[in-house]
Amino acid sequence: MDATEALGARFETWQQFEFDESRCAVRGLLDRIGDRWSMLLLCALAAGPRRFSALARLVPDISKRMLTQTLRILEADGLVHREVRPTVPPSVTYSLTPLGRSFTVPLLGLIDWAEAHFAQVVEARERRAAAA
Amino acid sequence: MDATEALGARFETWQQFEFDESRCAVRGLLDRIGDRWSMLLLCALAAGPRRFSALARLVPDISKRMLTQTLRILEADGLVHREVRPTVPPSVTYSLTPLGRSFTVPLLGLIDWAEAHFAQVVEARERRAAAA
DNA sequence: CTGAATCCGATAAGATACTG
DNA sequence: CAGTATCTTATCGGATTCAG
């Protein structure tokens, strides 16, 4: 059974649960990390703990608002650890939890696919644009 | 080198490209399939070709508008094939392309992780909610 | 049956200014 | 340094209606 068949079989079990949020993991997962920044921040933290301002520099076009919000969600989901040292000025360091590190395995798989096949996706789009 | 280190190293190469959209595959990928429906539809099509109305039934809470729009994007990206048979009434069948099937491999990895660890994520959220 | 077109509300997300 | 608060704009996505 290849991955496509396995995925198809998986989908059919979800139907039996009627995609109940608490049991349908895809929905629950994508609602949380399917946004523009979550995966990128997890990638940034994979290289090691980073402070707030360091993350802001690493991901150039994220606003402070979105950075804070996304980190809060990742922290609430148990993927990221937030450590505050009560110095003056304050120093806050973010790092991956063991759960967050376990997530880097499938995340790396996704990114490997993207880097290997993204050219094909772009080509498909261009071919379609040319046809229109 | 484990996945976390590999991912961290990967991230650092993206910085050198300044996350240029055309070369940063994550951005390009997530902009397309990071929405609410794309991955779910790819899962639904993994079990085999499906007609438009069949997909609408398989994914109960998607509107026709979003179904059409999402399928069009997946088609434009070369992940899904759209076949129209000029009967009356018209019959349109969607199926995964070879590129789409290759994507089911990392997608299955992501879903495996979600099903294995989603309980931990939920628990983390509840613990946080209880603390607040 | 398979869409296209339009309208509209909800949410996401950027910019800016301010705080301990 | 590490946020918060507020405002505003942009986009998402649902409901409805119409068409080939």
Side-chain angles (χ1 to χ4, degrees), chain A residues 2-69:
Chain A
D2 65 11
T4 304
E5 294 171 21
L7 194 59
R10 202 68 64 88
F11 183 85
E12 288 172 7
T13 72
W14 301 338
Q15 289 185 261
Q16 298 171 359
F17 293 153
E18 294 174 345
F19 299 96
D20 176 21
E21 297 252 337
S22 62
R23 283 173 296 186
C24 181
V26 230
R27 305 293 281 267
L29 176 73
L30 291 182
D31 280 357
R32 295 170 196 288
I33 58 138
D35 67 336
R36 170 127 70 250
W37 303 114
S38 294
M39 293 203 197
L40 211 54
L41 284 177
L42 290 174
C43 293
L45 287 171
R50 293 285 183 270
R51 295 180 55 176
F52 184 87
S53 55
L55 287 172
R57 278 191 304 273
L58 288 174
V59 184
D61 51 352
I62 192 173
S63 65
K64 283 196 296 184
R65 172 178 154 73
M66 281 296 99
L67 180 55
T68 300
Q69 188 179 101

Side-chain angles (χ1 to χ4, degrees), chain B residues 51 53 64 68 72 82 94:
Chain B
R51 295 182 53 178
S53 55
K64 282 194 299 183
T68 301
R72 285 287 190 278
R82 177 172 178 265
Y94 296 89

Side-chain angles (χ1 to χ4, degrees), chain B residues 67-83:
Chain B
L67 181 55
T68 301
Q69 187 178 102
T70 307
L71 286 169
R72 285 287 190 278
I73 292 173
L74 293 174
E75 186 196 2
D77 288 346
L79 296 171
V80 162
H81 174 66
R82 177 172 178 265
E83 182 184 8

Side-chain angles (χ1 to χ4, degrees), chain A residues 22 32 75-78, chain B residues 118-132:
Chain A
S22 62
R32 295 170 196 288
E75 186 196 3
D77 289 345
Chain B
F118 190 59
Q120 286 181 254
V121 171
V122 171
E123 187 192 357
R125 284 197 80 87
E126 288 174 351
R127 197 163 42 232
R128 185 188 177 80

Side-chain angles (χ1 to χ4, degrees), chain B residues 51-71:
Chain B
R51 295 182 53 178
F52 184 87
S53 55
L55 287 172
R57 278 191 305 274
L58 288 174
V59 184
D61 50 355
I62 192 173
S63 65
K64 282 194 299 183
R65 173 176 152 71
M66 282 295 101
L67 181 55
T68 301
Q69 187 178 102
T70 307
L71 286 169

